[in-house]
Amino acid sequence: MLDNSRKWRPEPDWTRAVLAAPSLSVRAVAGLPQRLVSGDIGGFLARYGLSSDVGALGLASGGRYAVRMARDRLLAVGITAQDCADGWHVEGYGVTTVGAGLRVLEARGQGVRDLIARATTIDPADPGPCAALQFCGMTCSVYFHGDLQTLRIHVDRGLAAYLWEWLECQPLLSGGTAGA
């Protein structure tokens, strides 16, 4: 029987995986509660005290925030199942836990803008209201967290290893060290 698994490298150990170079480092963010919210987005934001949501290359801060995924859908980060149960809520929105479905990578440093220029065709001066965009040929949710030198990328878990390999090949990171 044909064994295609030999074509791919094993997935990195995400708890220890780090790409580091002088102007940029990348690591996985573990344990981040992620919930997909559909429906009355304004009602959800008000109910959980979130002032607004961030779009593409927007700036999120703190441990609890919302990232816009589509017109009537957002990714609530930092809100646990104890805070908000999965399912339909009478306020007009539905919530689904997706924490295991999305891997979060965080790129930090002065080279973040160069990484954005290599990974996407989006205009950083006019990125748009939705954080879901084509990044490295895949649909990812991309925004800044805490400051404009820390980029968070939410990618489908099954595609995270591909994104990691793509990052390893970038000149911004090729001069650094890799740990897995």
Side-chain angles (χ1 to χ4, degrees), residues 29-37 44 48 50 60-67 74-84 95 97-99 104 143 145 152 154:
V29 178
L32 197 61
Q34 301 175 79
R35 321 288 303 292
L36 189 62
V37 179
F44 178 85
Y48 290 95
L50 303 170
S61 61
R64 292 171 57 139
Y65 53 91
V67 179
L74 59 81
L75 185 66
V77 179
I79 297 178
T80 66
Q82 291 79 18
D83 296 332
C84 177
V95 179
T97 299
V98 294
V104 182
Y143 59 93
H145 183 261
R152 282 200 172 163
H154 295 249

Side-chain angles (χ1 to χ4, degrees):
M1 177 174 219
L2 181 61
D3 182 10
N4 284 327
S5 66
R6 296 175 199 241
K7 293 180 182 181
W8 299 289
R9 294 188 322 192
E11 201 172 41
D13 175 356
W14 296 111
T15 60
R16 298 181 316 142
V18 175
L19 296 173
S23 67
L24 187 66
S25 67
V26 182
R27 68 176 182 85
V29 178
L32 197 61
Q34 301 175 79
R35 321 288 303 292
L36 189 62
V37 179
S38 301
D40 182 4
I41 300 304
F44 178 85
L45 293 171
R47 167 69 177 86
Y48 290 95
L50 303 170
S51 59
S52 65
D53 55 330
V54 298
L57 305 181
L59 180 59
S61 61
R64 292 171 57 139
Y65 53 91
V67 179
R68 181 63 65 139
M69 304 290 285
R71 182 181 312 268
D72 63 349
R73 183 163 290 156
L74 59 81
L75 185 66
V77 179
I79 297 178
T80 66
Q82 291 79 18
D83 296 332
C84 177
D86 282 355
W88 182 254
H89 294 257
V90 296
E91 295 92 343
Y93 53 82
V95 179
T96 305
T97 299
V98 294
L102 298 174
R103 177 83 55 205
V104 182
L105 300 180
E106 187 173 86
R108 181 176 289 182
Q110 294 176 344
V112 164
R113 293 285 180 183
D114 291 332
L115 175 62
I116 292 168
R118 288 182 171 280
T120 186
T121 59
I122 196 167
D123 178 2
D126 187 22
C130 180
L133 54 93
Q134 289 294 302
F135 189 87
C136 182
M138 302 174 291
T139 301
C140 301
S141 295
V142 184
Y143 59 93
F144 292 103
H145 183 261
D147 59 53
L148 296 178
Q149 289 191 356
T150 304
L151 188 72
R152 282 200 172 163
I153 307 156
H154 295 249
V155 60
D156 287 344
R157 186 183 188 109
L159 298 172
Y162 165 77
L163 178 56
W164 190 261
E165 286 184 36
W166 184 88
L167 289 165
E168 286 178 322
C169 295
Q170 296 311 301
L172 295 163
L173 290 162
S174 63
T177 59

